[in-house]
Amino acid sequence: MKIGIIGSGHIGGNLGIHLANAGHSVKFSSRHPDQLKELAEDAGENASVCTIKEAADFGDVLVLSIPFWAIEEVAEKTGPLEGKIIIETTNPYPGRDGEIATKARESSKAASTFVADHFQKAHVVKAFNTIYYEHLKNQANRSDNVRTIPYAGDDKVVLELVEDLIRQIGFAPVYVGKLSESHLMDVDQPLYNKDLNEAEVKEIIQNNRIG
Ligand SMILES: NC(=O)c1ccc[n+]([C@@H]2O[C@H](COP(=O)([O-])OP(=O)(O)OC[C@H]3O[C@@H](n4cnc5c(N)ncnc54)[C@H](OP(=O)(O)O)[C@@H]3O)[C@@H](O)[C@H]2O)c1
């Protein structure tokens, strides 16, 4: 697949490497694409660098992995991304992201809905926001007790595709619910930053089911 990485730092960079190693065509981007050449070299022959707009136009799937505060700014550069699949990894941290993160943390809505509001004609899936970047880097393809990746979203076909991508890079996907029901994945919630097996994730989802 053609995959554009928007925000190629700790999470976007490692995800891009895994996806390129799995055979996908990956374009890394950020505000400073010239600084991403070494990353693209590490990712191998399937990877290259470009601007944010170019990555957005290129990818059928986009990984959005930027600070929460920057979502509006990035959306202005990319446009609405109609029909694209966006895997969004963001978390709101008020100390880093300011007012918008405080608003998201205090809201009864799941944080990802604030991201999706900027891309209403795209298919937004939340994933990889619950895993620490070093674990994302080092815990793929564990032979024992495959590391789980909770994910959430609304469109069945899109979810199957994302689930497949998660498996391809050596993790075990576990579906949490619709984007509007992804609270359990948010900062300090039960699925956040925990190395849980599939049964444990499912039990948490079952015990916290909304409605
Ligand atoms: N670190 C973790 O372990 C972890 C785990 C799960 C989720 N997350 C979440 O995932 C997101 C990314 O985290 P990270 O740790 O990968 O961050 P990071 O290492 O700081 O990388 C952020 C990336 O976003 C780019 N960026 C920053 N501001 C931008 C803007 N205004 N417009 C476009 N690109 C911009 C940066 O590159 P330039 O400065 O060159 O533009 C960089 O490539 C955050 O929301 C974070 O909370 C992090």
Side-chain angles (χ1 to χ4, degrees), residues 6-12 29-32 35-36 52 65-70 73-74 77 89-93 96-97 128-134 192:
I6 299 178
S8 306
H10 291 106
I11 293 290
S29 75
S30 78
R31 292 167 300 184
H32 310 102
Q35 294 173 10
L36 303 174
I52 289 170
S65 194
I66 53 174
F68 200 75
W69 69 263
E73 188 179 300
V74 165
K77 285 185 187 157
T89 81
T90 67
N91 290 308
Y93 274 97
R96 177 192 65 194
D97 300 315
F128 298 104
N129 75 302
T130 59
I131 184 168
Y132 181 52
Y133 78 94
E134 285 192 357
Y192 192 72

Side-chain angles (χ1 to χ4, degrees), residues 3-4 13 17 29-30 38 44 64 76 110 113 156 178 192 209:
I3 300 181
I17 289 176
S29 75
S30 78
E38 205 174 308
L64 184 65
E76 278 166 18
T113 62
K156 192 168 179 288
K178 293 185 172 168
Y192 192 72
R209 200 164 284 292

Side-chain angles (χ1 to χ4, degrees), residues 4 9 12 25 40 48-49 69 75 87 124 138 153 155 160 172 174-175 177 180 183 186 192:
S25 237
S48 58
V49 302
W69 69 263
I87 300 175
V124 178
N138 299 321
D155 182 300
E160 279 170 8
V174 186
Y175 181 61
S180 61
H183 303 75
D186 282 339
Y192 192 72

